[in-house]
Amino acid sequence: MLDKYTRVYWTRILTPTARGLLRLGIGPDAVTVLGTLGVVGGAVGFYPRGEFLWGTLVITAFVFADNVDGIMARLSGRTSRWGAFLDSVLDRVADAAIFGALAMWFAGTGDNMRMVALLIVCLSFGAVVSYAKARAESLGYTAGGGIAERADRLLAVLVTTGLVGWFDLPVAVLEVVLWLLAAASVWTVYQRVREVRRQVTHE
């Protein structure tokens, strides 16, 4: 429910930007690609050097493209299965860049292999959460919802990483959030598998 109201709020805020880009002749697919490149650049360019605040600020700026492209598609009547496919694929690329770049820091200068393992678990199960939904839908079932959807996972890791960088907080703060995120992701996978199983048994 919170995610629903958040989407409505940001749609209102970002609609003027979406209209302006359309007037300039820029299409939603171009914004999708640009947003992903910005996220990847911000993550890989800053996180492996331990610059958590700047990396988060750059990533956050480009994450908004993930909302703008959808608004542009709806305003222009150019929603399509291709656009949905491209958006989903590039979302996975962006997620991999964020968690992978953080893992690079902790595998090197950060010197914390427990954090590396946690980041890998969060990335892996986050991908499985998305895959479970996509695979279920391809078979004619539904598997949405759960306590750790992509927006929730991104919000958790970006806000915490940014605060750790801004206030020079202990890495333990980020570790606690990652443990919670890993547990929530595993539980969400279970929820989606259970939901599909329920539908199969009632056919």
Side-chain angles (χ1 to χ4, degrees):
M1 186 65 70
L2 179 61
D3 185 58
K4 175 183 176 182
Y5 289 121
T6 300
R7 287 180 180 274
V8 170
Y9 172 78
W10 282 114
T11 296
R12 291 176 180 171
I13 295 296
L14 297 174
T15 293
T17 300
R19 293 185 188 279
L21 291 171
L22 287 171
R23 282 195 292 269
L24 292 173
I26 300 172
D29 287 352
V31 173
T32 300
V33 173
L34 178 62
T36 302
L37 291 175
V39 169
V40 172
V44 176
F46 291 97
Y47 281 171
R49 296 188 294 174
E51 298 181 11
F52 290 171
L53 176 59
W54 285 109
T56 300
L57 291 175
V58 172
I59 291 168
T60 301
F62 282 99
V63 160
F64 285 118
D66 192 45
N67 293 310
V68 172
D69 59 0
I71 298 170
M72 291 172 66
R74 289 189 292 274
L75 289 175
S76 61
R78 292 162 64 178
T79 56
S80 66
R81 287 184 293 181
W82 159 250
F85 170 79
L86 180 66
D87 189 59
S88 295
V89 170
L90 294 184
D91 279 350
R92 306 290 82 74
V93 173
D95 291 352
I98 292 169
F99 286 91
L102 283 170
M104 289 172 64
W105 162 255
F106 288 108
T109 308
D111 191 24
N112 190 328
M113 294 307 295
R114 186 171 62 251
M115 289 291 287
V116 174
L118 269 173
L119 286 159
I120 291 173
V121 169
C122 289
L123 174 59
S124 300
F125 275 92
V128 176
V129 167
S130 299
Y131 176 78
K133 179 180 180 180
R135 183 57 175 158
E137 291 176 346
S138 74
L139 296 172
Y141 303 111
T142 58
I147 61 174
E149 297 201 62
R150 182 174 185 262
D152 304 315
R153 298 194 304 271
L154 277 184
L155 181 65
V157 72
L158 289 178
V159 168
T160 308
T161 302
L163 290 176
V164 167
W166 191 2
F167 296 106
D168 196 25
L169 300 176
V171 170
V173 174
L174 179 57
E175 182 176 351
V176 169
V177 171
L178 289 177
W179 275 111
L180 294 173
L181 188 57
S185 298
V186 171
W187 181 251
T188 301
V189 170
Y190 167 73
Q191 287 179 302
R192 294 188 173 185
V193 171
R194 183 183 61 183
E195 174 62 18
V196 173
R197 179 61 177 169
R198 184 191 63 78
Q199 294 171 60
V200 170
T201 56
H202 284 81
E203 285 183 332

